[in-house]
Amino acid sequence: MTDPILQTTDLTKEFGNLVAVDDVNLEVEQGEFRSLIGPNGAGKTTTFNLLTGALRPTHGTVTFNGEDVTGLPPHQRVRRGLGRSFQITNVFSGLTVRENVRLAAQAAREGGFKPVEEFLQRATSFDDVNEHTDRVLDRSGLLGRGDEPADVLAYGDKRRLEIAIVLATDPDMVLLDEPTAGMSAEETRATMDLIDEVLSDRTLLLIEHDIDLVMRVSDRITVLHRGAVLAEGTPDAVSEDPDVREAYFGGVEA
Ligand SMILES: Nc1ncnc2c1ncn2[C@@H]1O[C@H](COP(=O)(O)OP(=O)(O)OP(=O)(O)O)[C@@H](O)[C@H]1O
Ligand SMILES: [Mg+2]
């Protein structure tokens, strides 16, 4: 087994007296499709915020690609290959599809201190970003829509653009917080097919309430309950776990 791409040790977040994330030890393998499930308020989104750097843990660590990133701000985690979830992604409606993707590609590559040499090579790196942008548009099925304003896109193409923006940052791992929230069954299926098609070579960590969907797409599932890991394993193992059945499937929420 290879080293995990993402690892947390005793990850904990307290809000006053509430322990929202309670000593969570996660290990996600390279290329894995992991889902994080649990009832409302279980601590799923808070866990994501600790992983992306939007929140600092009360204690515990986050290791990504072998590096302790616990103290790093979000943009530095993105530059190291930890892709943001859709909910954080911003589609700029005043820009074209291509401009949106290029902005994400540039933001992920630049930022911070730039040496003079890089400044002088700007024309080259500009071509480089443009090429990368076209590749991402092509892969996301949006090459023909590049010059359209993002806000006139049809629903399905908007989803494609959101995925293209994540892909433009060239992430090794992508965190998805309820990407299908509010969608019809058909839209959900189309979005998951798209994620599968465009992001299947990456490591994915998905928060999702639709249990049937989670069972179908995940390699492994982690169940959170009151901030702590209640169970973890393959879809079959998790769905047969008596603790899970009681706390989750039989409990608070469908
Ligand atoms: N910024 C905050 N300040 C105080 N309490 C918070 C904050 N963010 C989350 N909480 C609390 O922490 C707990 C975990 O919330 P979180 O949003 O992580 O749950 P979740 O599993 O994502 O739930 P849902 O399925 O409803 O999205 C909840 O009790 C929530 O009210
Ligand atoms: Mg949430």
Side-chain angles (χ1 to χ4, degrees), residues 137-194:
L137 287 174
D138 191 20
R139 218 163 144 205
S140 318
L142 285 171
L143 202 51
R145 302 246 177 285
D147 297 325
E148 293 182 20
D151 51 0
V152 307
L153 289 181
Y155 185 84
D157 284 336
K158 273 206 178 109
R159 295 281 89 77
R160 285 184 182 276
L161 178 56
E162 285 168 351
I163 288 179
I165 287 172
V166 175
L167 196 61
T169 66
D170 201 18
D172 294 326
M173 177 163 185
V174 181
L175 307 177
L176 307 164
D177 192 349
E178 301 191 42
T180 65
M183 290 185 189
S184 68
E186 192 170 327
E187 289 163 348
T188 296
R189 202 174 319 114
T191 299
M192 290 312 297
D193 285 350
L194 182 62

Side-chain angles (χ1 to χ4, degrees), residues 26-52:
L26 265 185
E27 276 191 17
V28 180
E29 299 296 322
Q30 188 97 41
E32 188 181 341
F33 194 144
R34 174 75 62 94
S35 293
L36 189 58
I37 66 171
N40 290 115
K44 304 179 296 293
T45 296
T46 305
T47 299
F48 263 34
N49 286 335
L50 295 171
L51 299 178
T52 63

